[in-house]
Amino acid sequence: MLDLTYDAPKPKVIAGAKHDWELVIGLEVHAQVATKAKLFSGASTQFGAEPNSNVAFVDAGMPGMLPVINEGCVAQAVKTGLGLKAQINLYSAFDRKNYFYPDLPQGYQISQLYHPIVGEGEVLVEMGPGPHDGTARVVRIERIHLEQDAGKSIHDMDPNMSFVDLNRTGVALMEIVSRPDIRGPEEAAAYVSKLRQIMRYLGTCDGNMQNGNLRADVNVSICRPGAYEKYQETQDFSHLGTRCEIKNMNSLRFIQAAIEYEARRQIAIVEDGGEVVQETRLYDPDKNETRSMRSKEEAHDYRYFPDPDLLPLEIEQAWVDDIAASLPELPDEKKARFIKDFGLSDYDASVLTADTDNASFFEAVAEGRDGKLAANWVINELFGRLKKDDREITDSPVTPDQLGGVIALISKGDISGKIAKDLFEIVYTEGGDPAVIVEERGMKQVTDMGAIEAAVDEIIAANPDQVAKAKENPKLAGWFVGQVMKATGGKANPKAVNELIAKKLAG
Amino acid sequence: MSIDTETARKVAKLARIKVEDDALPALAAEFSNILGFIEQLNEVDVDGVEPMTSVTPQRLYRRDDVVTDGDQPEQVLKNAPDAREGFFAVPKVVE
């Protein structure tokens, strides 16, 4: 069971010319498995190598070569399944999906159609910030199967030729198939982000969308309000519209734009009395439209059959249990713990658990200190400052110890919040131990009441006009506070100053 | 089950094997024969019999996740009809 509970977000409604329409979306996410070697060969998976240098003869489809499965890929798929609270199938098997393309030298992709390694699971997809803030969708996972990636074709190096690089050929992919539980473009993007986050926690996929190691095929259909609920009751797809599949998207922004465009296209067809044709479409980000890949339709007769080169993949429950025992704390658990143990808001906990680097930095800062204060400083000051310099948390010039030192000084009352910001900037740019800097540079808050009182008296004596005005309008007391803070170089305890001035002006 | 010449044409096209029109009827007849034989096998009652996946009882052999291969672009490209700048060069396939 999940510890965090939220209401489900409202489905997105698009107003057509005649009716309102809702969206129904399912995703197939292709995640490159983080391993050193490929799924069935000993060639490297390293991104950015010289063309065709990470290629074994089996990847190139040379005659007589046989695939031998990489156990590391199997372990990573099992780990991902466990992370998605899914059923692990101890028996799975590989099938051939047959089609011809220059970057697929075998003439088929080895995949798992009939017996995938992972069965049903679920993902909690939190929404927001935005219109759905504070809600979350539980998206059911139908299956995850292991399969080979294809090579890369480059079409723009020569006017008449396509160039083929087989480095990616045979790299292991996990295809994560969701149920049609997603009800809007933002939800689809949030779902992909959440999968990415979980897999990065697990270390099973780098999730670098720009390098193409996380890509999504998106199935979109439209229905009238009320129809989806009938589908939910009966699991009967006839209540839903005909779906179109938008292939191969590697950007969250494009996923959202493509869904939006595709839904409006389908609404226009149906309201015009036409019928949506089930087909595969491509999204063109330059024109912001989807277009049919009709010429490939015929190739969709994949003639799947069990791969005779590979025995079924049988794994033992004990091995799965070992992997389960090695799972790290996952995002949902970590977030729930941050809320409970450190008293953080849902939002702050989400930000701090977005990735493991953020989370461990925060934990090191908060250890034995005020958790809420630590969260404020990490999120507002540190993240803000890093963003300004375009730096990652992993190369922060301020260590958790140093930031923790600043926070400890605030908690002790040694420095005011304003001085703390100056101190943070010094630590960020010059380094050093915050406690030592405060001593050496005389930044310590003045808590000596005598000294503060002297400063207050001096300001009051020097400004009789202001005193007269402040007696009529107590709101003007703030001016005196500012003057005292200025006179003491910002080091006076603001609370003490406030109290003293109120007392003196009233007297 | 009988296979007509149109189905035979489609199967040949999917397999990217060129078959002349006048060879199609003979091919269709051969397919029909093979499928007829399989239909005959279907008559055998195999309820409760596990599918045989291998003639010898063995477990799928696994390799460790270690890089043991690659770094041989010249060998990989050696038989290519056309290769340029380390890539296979093929007639343009983009639509």
Side-chain angles (χ1 to χ4, degrees), chain A residues 36-37 42 52-53 55-56 68-71 100 155 158-164 295 298 301 311 314, chain B residues 10 13-14 16 54 58 61-63 65 67-73 82 84 86-88 90 92-93 95:
Chain A
K36 297 185 190 78
N52 292 304
S53 57
V55 182
V68 179
I69 197 164
N70 177 347
E71 188 160 49
F100 287 98
H155 304 295
D158 186 286
N160 305 312
M161 309 294 278
S162 288
F163 286 6
V164 179
S295 52
E298 198 182 38
D301 190 345
L311 287 167
E314 292 178 272
Chain B
K10 188 183 166 205
K13 189 173 177 199
L14 284 171
R16 299 296 187 276
S54 168
Q58 54 180 341
Y61 183 76
R62 290 137 220 234
R63 70 165 79 238
D65 182 28
V67 175
T68 56
D69 210 337
D71 266 332
Q72 45 174 0
D82 194 356
R84 301 177 201 179
F87 295 96
F88 290 91
V90 301
K92 198 129 188 145
V93 284
E95 289 153 37

Side-chain angles (χ1 to χ4, degrees), chain A residues 294-351:
Chain A
R294 252 181 223 110
S295 52
K296 286 204 171 166
E297 283 305 281
E298 198 182 38
H300 276 195
D301 190 345
Y302 290 129
R303 293 150 296 144
Y304 280 98
F305 63 88
D307 192 314
D309 286 342
L310 291 159
L311 287 167
L313 174 59
E314 292 178 272
I315 54 178
E316 282 78 44
Q317 186 60 47
W319 188 65
V320 175
D321 292 343
D322 282 349
I323 294 174
S326 78
L327 286 194
E329 185 180 38
L330 289 166
D332 291 346
E333 300 159 13
K334 204 183 271 297
K335 183 175 159 185
R337 182 168 64 82
F338 278 14
I339 292 171
K340 188 167 158 278
D341 290 2
F342 296 113
L344 303 190
S345 68
D346 192 280
Y347 178 81
D348 284 356
S350 292
V351 172

